[in-house]
Amino acid sequence: MQRTSLFLTLTALLAAPATAQAQAQTKGNVPASLFQSIGKKGGTLTLSLVSSPQSFNYFAVLDNNSYTVLNNVFDRLITLDPLTNKLYPDLAESWSMTPDGRTATLKLRKGVKWSDGQTFDADDVMFTLDDLASNTGLKANQSALFKIGKEPLKFTKVDQYTVKVTAPKPYGAMLQVLTFVPILPQHKLAKYNPVKDPDAFSKAWTTNTPLTDIVGTGPYVLSKYTVDQKVALVRNPYSWRRDPAGNVLPYMDKLEYLIIKSPDAQIASFRAGQLDSAPISGSQFPDLKRQELGGAKFRVIRGVGLNNPPVHLAFNQDAKDANLKKAFSDVKFRQALEYAVNRPRIVDTVFNGLASNPGFGVAPVSEWFNPLTKTMLSEFDLKKAATRLDALGYRDTNGDGVRNFSGGGPNVEFSLLHAADSSIMPGIATIIQSDFGKVGIKVNLQGVTGSTVLPTAMAGNFEAALNSFGDQPDPQLRKDIWQPGGALNYWHRAVQPAHEGDTPNLSAMQPYEKQIYTLFAQAEASGDQKKRKQWYDQWQLLFARNIPVIMIAKPDSVAAFQARIGNFYVKDNAVITSNYTMYEK
Amino acid sequence: MLSYALRRLLGMIPTLLIISVVCFAVIKLQPGSFFDQYRDDPRVTKAQIDAYNHRYALDQPNVVQYFIWLRNILFHGDLGYSFANDRPVTSMIGERLGWTVFLSVLTLLVSWLLAVPLGIYTALGQAAFSNPRKTLGDRVAIGANYLMNFFGYISMAIPDFLVALLLVGWLLAHHKTNVGGLFSPEFIDAPWSWAKVKDLLSHLWVPMIAIGLEGVAGLMRQMRASMLDVINQDYVRTARAKGLAPRTVLWRHAVRNAVNPLISLAGLSLPSLISGTIVASIVLNLPTIGPFLYDSLINKDQFVSMALLMFSALLLLLGNLLADLALASVDPRVRFE
């Protein structure tokens, strides 16, 4: 604990040079970076949802609209500081790790109450972690997060306000995983017997449940749901959050989500002043910015986010066509093609300039990012691409303008799977198709519905694919994607284990894949953060040199909000906001 | 008449059964099931997906699934279960039906009230064309006729969602706030009051124009065509010749006969309750059942889609029956043999 909270105090001091503010910090219990200024109480915050929430039962539903609403109602044990992306106390006030990195002891915040007045304590935490989050009978369980290899983390209650987490072997991301788990009330949900009867539990807290039954510790509680129109929340009367001046948070009395299905209708509502903030994309940014400069009463800001999913181009190394399989598995072929990827043009035309260079599996703003890889994305150079392809023996032997596989084989031609309904993927695909065409590689576009891209890719039913996965602060949380043999490592499925959780097929791995596999395994099983950083640095270098997939661009964060809203701002390139710190100026 | 209605109702049963087979087949032609989308979610294990598929009999052969579905509807009144919402389909449709019916009935009324008089007017205007010595009144009538027809063509050619988008753009340009939905945000969950009704009215005209306009144009042209048919019939000439007032000739002899095809059309428009206005509803953010059907089709939430498709088919059959009954009551020539 000492290390963490000392560190937090230090950052707070650094961030706030005025001593008055530093003193005030002791009163507040939420990240100081959330405040551009101290707000005032009152008002209604109106936001939007793209679809009705499917359920109010967090662990029984896989639906982002539900999560968006419920994240105002439930708290996690630990959260992340939005500025530094470092751990920050939430329901757990402090924590300590044993030197072997296997056990963490968390001290819970005392005096926290559920919105019905019942006391929150370790029993709620134990119920949530054991019976809900680890319960594989529930759709949205998080048991995969709690496993190291095949062995799960163990949770024990020490006393009413202390919980211990024990790992079978040292586990570097142990505290990080707790930032994903919202704590639910045992006194309301235990009666559904989630362990014995997950089905019955899944039918609890559906959208037609009386909302007074859904109690939380978060800043807001649900007050009224009008089907397909609006979800209304009000301030939790027992909210424990305080701003640096000691005022009760949230500032706003009410929080309302209007259900608006079409993105255009959302922007229209926002421009009409009905929404306080609207999710916008890079393509809408220039238009809205122009209106802002023309005197509109809203602000449009941009920053660099951590999670924003970078787009990558993957080649199926188990492609059904033997020639393609051989080419795609050859790092030199992939490197040659990377020279033909025109990143600046993609960023300019597809993202309206609102994207930047991606990292290799780690966001450049993350503390885990290896700065050495910054310069390792290759420049756009069609000549180089052509020379390299020539050297590899892919020449146009039949004079039809398309290169042939060596020995007068068929044309080098493949299909590029991408989401046709995405606002960015078709544009990127077209640019790639045109540039690859210029170096004699024929690309056929294969646009499908966005939701089917990943399933198709994971079934191995593709040649090349454009895809994106969100970045996470700790690489351990993305090992399913980047560790060869992981469930989402779809471009080389031959190395995946026959059964989930088993050791992958090491013999099918290329040497660099084996190295990456080992690095991830080592970093997972260590509590020594310095060593973990070194291992992940090595992995990023291996990624950059061997490009299992070609990283293309990482979209920036853009946001639009009404000028009357306070505490919505950009600091050190991060867009900072929270529903409980925004206020009406 | 009662026995005719009964016979028709009984006749619906085999039709509905055939429709149910088609609905089921169409839904099943989509590859995969709702739970397949979880295959790429690391939180859901393969065993879990298999368990879900087993629980809802999705792992059974299609024929077996069909009969289980049919059995549940017939013997338990159970339309199935929404996988996405963990709730029975019936209650989910129930909570969306109110606004849907309200909006459809209202648009139907508005478009009829506008279309029928306009259709009659444009048909009568036709007479002005044939007048060899055109009076000023004739010229005005001809002008109005051209204008109406022009308006008719235009509004038929523009899809409803485009009209909706243009209206929203126009409202935004004039700094209005009624750009979508049925209420201002603060009134959505407020109890009913005069202020709420006023707010509803200030929002309602946008969807009425956007959705109703297309209907107006179509109906107007239908009415005009059937009026033109009737107006040149012998019995109309006879009625005029025997010295009846023009108003009586128009309403009792011409319109009454011309309106028959429209009654059949009205019967056919019942199913548009469900699927009629999906796109406009999304663009204008209306809380109708259309987008719900659309989402369920995209998500392969099969019981929701099948229930709504069946519901839509049932409405079509009922609409036809009602139209036939209505037709018989206005037209003594129609008999139930």
Side-chain angles (χ1 to χ4, degrees), chain B residues 14-33:
Chain B
T15 321
L16 276 175
L17 277 176
I18 294 171
I19 293 175
S20 75
V21 174
V22 176
C23 280
F24 187 84
V26 165
I27 295 296
K28 280 291 162 190
L29 279 178
Q30 281 185 299
S33 79

Side-chain angles (χ1 to χ4, degrees), chain A residues 147-165:
Chain A
K147 277 189 191 135
I148 310 162
K150 278 184 151 180
E151 293 175 87
L153 295 175
K154 222 177 87 195
F155 307 103
T156 31
K157 174 182 167 182
V158 179
D159 59 44
Q160 196 190 354
Y161 289 104
T162 314
V163 172
K164 212 160 74 179
V165 187

Side-chain angles (χ1 to χ4, degrees), chain A residues 105-315:
Chain A
T105 310
L106 293 101
K107 289 271 179 206
L108 303 182
R109 201 176 287 279
K110 284 182 186 152
V112 173
K113 284 189 168 149
W114 294 98
S115 50
D116 60 353
Q118 297 267 343
T119 308
F120 155 84
D121 63 18
D123 289 331
D124 296 306
V125 177
M126 292 303 298
F127 169 73
T128 305
L129 294 174
D130 279 345
D131 292 5
L132 304 180
S134 313
N135 184 347
T136 48
L138 302 178
K139 259 187 239 168
N141 76 82
Q142 297 169 322
S143 64
L145 281 177
F146 297 159
K147 277 189 191 135
I148 310 162
K150 278 184 151 180
E151 293 175 87
L153 295 175
K154 222 177 87 195
F155 307 103
T156 31
K157 174 182 167 182
V158 179
D159 59 44
Q160 196 190 354
Y161 289 104
T162 314
V163 172
K164 212 160 74 179
V165 187
T166 320
K169 42 190 169 185
Y171 185 40
M174 188 149 75
L175 292 172
Q176 286 278 354
V177 300
L178 295 176
T179 63
F180 293 94
V181 193
I183 304 298
L184 269 52
Q186 184 199 28
H187 69 280
K188 286 285 182 188
L189 290 171
K191 63 182 175 212
Y192 297 106
N193 254 322
V195 177
K196 272 198 197 128
D197 193 352
D199 268 356
F201 176 80
S202 298
K203 285 167 191 154
W205 282 12
T206 49
T207 46
N208 54 351
T209 309
L211 296 181
T212 43
D213 208 38
I214 300 170
V215 303
T217 55
Y220 296 96
V221 286
L222 290 161
S223 76
K224 192 151 188 182
Y225 169 48
T226 314
V227 175
D228 280 356
Q229 297 189 70
K230 179 162 122 180
V231 185
L233 299 97
V234 292
R235 181 190 291 117
N236 175 358
Y238 296 97
S239 174
W240 53 267
R241 286 186 168 77
R242 299 289 180 268
D243 72 2
N247 301 314
V248 175
L249 290 172
Y251 290 130
M252 300 272 195
D253 296 330
K254 290 192 219 161
L255 166 62
E256 300 191 334
Y257 286 98
L258 302 185
I259 297 162
I260 306 179
K261 294 199 163 77
S262 121
D264 294 320
Q266 286 185 351
I267 295 298
S269 257
F270 173 71
R271 284 176 54 197
Q274 287 178 345
L275 293 177
D276 289 318
S277 171
I280 61 168
S281 65
S283 58
Q284 291 155 330
F285 185 88
D287 192 31
L288 287 170
K289 191 76 194 171
R290 209 173 305 126
Q291 288 172 33
E292 179 196 336
L293 297 176
K297 285 182 186 146
F298 53 77
R299 302 281 169 267
V300 193
I301 51 176
R302 70 181 281 199
V304 179
L306 186 122
N307 297 92
N308 310 11
V311 179
H312 66 252
L313 168 62
F315 301 107

Side-chain angles (χ1 to χ4, degrees), chain A residues 294-452:
Chain A
K297 285 182 186 146
F298 53 77
R299 302 281 169 267
V300 193
I301 51 176
R302 70 181 281 199
V304 179
L306 186 122
N307 297 92
N308 310 11
V311 179
H312 66 252
L313 168 62
F315 301 107
N316 189 354
Q317 301 185 23
D318 309 302
K320 281 169 194 135
D321 181 320
N323 282 321
L324 281 178
K325 180 181 160 139
K326 189 167 158 265
F328 289 161
S329 305
D330 180 5
V331 57
K332 291 196 179 115
F333 180 78
R334 298 195 299 266
Q335 281 168 340
L337 286 189
E338 196 192 357
Y339 282 110
V341 174
N342 191 346
R343 288 194 186 86
R345 181 169 168 216
I346 290 173
V347 169
D348 267 6
T349 58
V350 178
F351 291 95
N352 270 323
L354 296 165
S356 32
N357 277 340
F360 292 92
V362 175
V365 294
S366 165
E367 54 177 325
W368 296 93
F369 178 68
N370 182 353
L372 288 178
T373 61
K374 217 169 205 166
T375 52
M376 292 177 73
L377 292 163
S378 51
E379 303 260 314
F380 175 61
D381 189 339
L382 287 178
K383 260 189 209 143
K384 248 186 200 166
T387 345
R388 299 226 170 179
L389 286 169
D390 283 344
L392 288 171
Y394 300 98
R395 290 165 195 275
D396 182 9
T397 45
N398 56 2
D400 62 352
V402 181
R403 287 171 194 273
N404 296 79
F405 288 107
S406 49
N411 283 348
V412 183
E413 171 180 357
F414 55 83
S415 61
L416 177 57
L417 179 75
H418 66 279
D421 49 0
S422 146
S423 61
I424 51 170
M425 296 301 193
I428 300 176
T430 321
I431 292 176
I432 288 175
Q433 181 190 37
S434 135
D435 289 329
F436 281 20
K438 284 178 199 154
V439 292
I441 304 287
K442 188 168 178 206
V443 176
N444 302 310
L445 298 187
Q446 185 191 359
V448 298
T449 315
S451 57
T452 60

Side-chain angles (χ1 to χ4, degrees), chain A residues 1 5 89-96 105-109:
Chain A
M1 166 220 158
S5 71
D90 207 353
L91 280 176
E93 203 166 26
S94 62
W95 51 85
S96 58
T105 310
L106 293 101
K107 289 271 179 206
L108 303 182
R109 201 176 287 279

Side-chain angles (χ1 to χ4, degrees), chain A residues 46 51-55 60-62 67 136-142 144 199 202-203 206-208 224-230 232 256 258-262 265 268-269 271-272 274 454-455 458 480 488 500, chain B residues 34-35 38-46 48 52 55-56 81 83-87 91 95-96 99 165 168 172 176-179 182-189 203 282-283 285 287-288 291-292 295 299:
Chain A
T46 314
S51 196
S52 302
Q54 294 177 349
S55 168
V61 65
L62 292 169
Y67 298 156
T136 48
L138 302 178
K139 259 187 239 168
N141 76 82
Q142 297 169 322
D199 268 356
S202 298
K203 285 167 191 154
T206 49
T207 46
N208 54 351
K224 192 151 188 182
Y225 169 48
T226 314
V227 175
D228 280 356
Q229 297 189 70
K230 179 162 122 180
E256 300 191 334
L258 302 185
I259 297 162
I260 306 179
K261 294 199 163 77
S262 121
S269 257
R271 284 176 54 197
Q274 287 178 345
L454 195 57
M458 301 230 322
D480 278 341
L488 295 172
E500 234 169 274
Chain B
F34 174 81
F35 297 105
Y38 294 157
R39 289 195 192 273
D40 53 299
D41 195 311
R43 287 170 290 192
V44 187
T45 61
K46 215 177 154 295
Q48 228 178 315
Y52 283 125
R55 189 180 312 150
Y56 299 107
Y81 193 74
F83 303 134
N85 297 275
D86 273 313
R87 282 177 58 187
S91 76
E95 65 190 18
R96 285 166 174 81
W99 282 118
L165 283 175
V168 167
L172 278 177
K176 299 273 195 304
T177 56
N178 47 342
V179 288
L182 289 177
F183 297 104
S184 306
E186 64 271 25
F187 282 112
I188 290 177
D189 49 7
H203 282 77
I282 292 177
V283 171
N285 195 35
T288 63
F292 182 54
D295 283 347
N299 285 330

